Amino acid sequence: MEYLEFQKKCGELGLHIHDNLAIGVYKEYPLSVTRFFTGMMEICCYLTEDDWEKVQERLEHSSVNRQASLIYEENRMAWKIRNCEYGKLLSDLNEIVNILSDCHIDVSQRCALCGREETDAHAMIAGTNRPIHKKCIQKKLVNTRLEIEEKSYKKGIIGAVIGCILGSLPNLWVYLFWGQTYAVLFLLLPLCIYYGYKFLGGRMDRMVVVVTIILSILSVFCMEIAYLVNYNIQEQFVPDTLFWRFKMLIKVFQIDGLFKYIFKNSSLKLLFVFVGIIIEWEVISKNVKQMEKNIEEIMDTVN
């Protein structure tokens, strides 16, 4: 089915159109129809496990006869049709709702957000068209925005510093016991900084990435300097005291081309740090900002 035909025909069925998604209530049952670019159609509806047990046998039998594939997981029933034309879509829609009706599947009026009855709308939640209260989704969006605003850069940075220290401990521990470091352990550093920032309530935006990059690089350089100080103390056979460590630290900073040497010596470690930051970016994409976007997308599907 072509895009324009999909929108026109689904609109005639009383469904609300959102690009390649049609959602609404068809013959009393809330459902959704998704059109894929491959020509496949997917009809979805919400079924509890008890309801699924009642209709499973008939739906599976019917899907085989109609050459459709049937999937049920996490209270979501998905009926997939390949190379679907409008007549086939309408026939399968009727087949599904007739089976639900014959098996006495009650149409839920319980809000998917608050659990109370007497809902006044439906919206796409977790991939299915569910009954909701409009006030509930609006309240959810307001609370999410308030949560973002209440976050603090100051607390986040404090947490990031704590996370940086904890993330550096594995390498320090390995160095103390084996006298060497493993670059792969630096993968942990950005993640520890990120979770430290998040744990203390840091505002989840680009600042967390900036803080992570700065602290990660700073941590690598500090550890390299600490290794140089320790190496010089051992090589020069001086007492391992705070006074001599401070004195060696001053001498280390007087070395010509120090930072160039450190950068060259720690290039592999920095590579693993940036790999960790890339991994962290995937985690950040699911932060509170994304939650706000998800709720706004749900609001767009209210029907």
Side-chain angles (χ1 to χ4, degrees), residues 72-113:
Y72 177 78
E73 56 184 6
E74 297 180 354
N75 296 331
R76 181 178 185 268
M77 186 282 292
W79 177 290
K80 298 178 183 289
I81 319 165
R82 296 185 180 278
N83 301 320
C84 181
E85 297 300 328
Y86 175 67
K88 169 68 172 169
L89 173 63
L90 183 60
S91 176
D92 283 19
L93 271 172
N94 287 323
E95 176 71 5
I96 292 169
V97 296
N98 287 339
I99 291 174
L100 296 178
S101 178
D102 291 345
C103 294
H104 306 290
I105 302 301
D106 296 328
V107 179
S108 174
Q109 294 299 324
R110 188 179 298 276
C111 179
L113 299 175

Side-chain angles (χ1 to χ4, degrees), residues 44-60:
C44 291
C45 67
Y46 177 85
L47 290 175
T48 64
E49 290 185 6
D50 290 339
D51 289 342
W52 172 247
E53 289 180 2
K54 296 177 185 178
V55 299
Q56 180 179 1
E57 186 176 347
R58 283 193 60 180
L59 282 175
E60 288 179 346

Side-chain angles (χ1 to χ4, degrees), residues 45-277:
C45 67
Y46 177 85
L47 290 175
T48 64
E49 290 185 6
D50 290 339
D51 289 342
W52 172 247
E53 289 180 2
K54 296 177 185 178
V55 299
Q56 180 179 1
E57 186 176 347
R58 283 193 60 180
L59 282 175
E60 288 179 346
H61 179 73
S62 180
S63 66
V64 171
N65 289 340
R66 290 171 172 269
Q67 297 181 332
S69 58
L70 184 67
I71 299 172
Y72 177 78
E73 56 184 6
E74 297 180 354
N75 296 331
R76 181 178 185 268
M77 186 282 292
W79 177 290
K80 298 178 183 289
I81 319 165
R82 296 185 180 278
N83 301 320
C84 181
E85 297 300 328
Y86 175 67
K88 169 68 172 169
L89 173 63
L90 183 60
S91 176
D92 283 19
L93 271 172
N94 287 323
E95 176 71 5
I96 292 169
V97 296
N98 287 339
I99 291 174
L100 296 178
S101 178
D102 291 345
C103 294
H104 306 290
I105 302 301
D106 296 328
V107 179
S108 174
Q109 294 299 324
R110 188 179 298 276
C111 179
L113 299 175
C114 72
R116 298 194 304 272
E117 301 282 347
E118 299 180 358
T119 53
D120 56 2
H122 293 81
M124 288 294 287
I125 297 176
T128 56
N129 197 22
R130 300 282 304 278
I132 61 163
H133 297 107
K134 290 180 180 178
K135 288 184 178 180
C136 287
I137 193 67
Q138 291 168 351
K139 182 179 179 181
K140 185 79 172 175
L141 179 60
V142 170
N143 289 341
T144 301
R145 286 174 174 168
L146 286 174
E147 184 181 350
I148 294 172
E149 292 172 1
E150 289 173 356
K151 300 292 183 179
S152 165
Y153 287 132
K154 185 177 179 180
K155 290 181 179 179
I157 292 172
I158 293 172
V161 171
I162 296 172
C164 180
I165 294 171
L166 294 176
S168 301
L169 289 179
N171 256 314
L172 292 174
W173 184 78
V174 169
Y175 181 76
L176 288 174
F177 284 90
W178 283 282
Q180 58 183 341
T181 59
Y182 294 97
V184 69
L185 291 176
F186 284 87
L187 274 172
L188 299 173
L189 192 56
L191 294 175
C192 289
I193 293 171
Y194 165 74
Y195 281 110
Y197 184 97
K198 183 179 179 180
F199 182 75
L200 283 194
R203 186 172 295 186
M204 303 303 294
D205 52 24
R206 292 181 180 178
M207 178 59 74
V208 65
V209 180
V210 174
V211 170
T212 300
I213 292 173
I214 292 173
L215 286 179
S216 296
I217 295 174
L218 186 62
S219 178
V220 171
F221 274 74
C222 286
M223 279 191 275
E224 287 295 327
I225 289 172
Y227 301 151
L228 285 173
V229 169
N230 193 64
Y231 175 80
N232 278 282
I233 287 176
Q234 293 176 356
E235 287 295 308
Q236 297 182 30
F237 301 102
V238 296
D240 189 359
T241 62
L242 186 62
F243 170 78
W244 278 103
R245 283 190 173 274
F246 182 73
K247 193 171 182 177
M248 286 298 175
L249 179 63
I250 295 174
K251 287 187 176 181
V252 165
F253 274 107
Q254 292 174 347
I255 297 174
D256 292 334
L258 172 66
F259 290 102
K260 183 178 179 180
Y261 167 81
I262 290 176
F263 182 80
K264 182 179 179 181
N265 195 53
S266 59
S267 56
L268 184 59
K269 298 169 187 175
L270 289 171
L271 175 63
F272 276 96
V273 163
F274 281 104
V275 170
I277 291 171

Side-chain angles (χ1 to χ4, degrees), residues 2-47:
E2 295 298 325
Y3 176 71
L4 293 178
E5 183 186 8
F6 169 80
Q7 292 195 324
K8 179 182 177 182
K9 294 297 184 180
C10 288
E12 291 174 355
L13 294 176
L15 303 179
H16 298 261
I17 311 301
H18 297 270
D19 199 14
N20 284 294
L21 173 68
I23 53 178
V25 177
Y26 182 71
K27 293 186 177 180
E28 298 184 359
Y29 287 95
L31 48 77
S32 65
V33 180
T34 305
R35 173 188 176 273
F36 296 96
F37 293 107
T38 58
M40 179 187 293
M41 295 282 185
E42 182 182 73
I43 304 169
C44 291
C45 67
Y46 177 85
L47 290 175

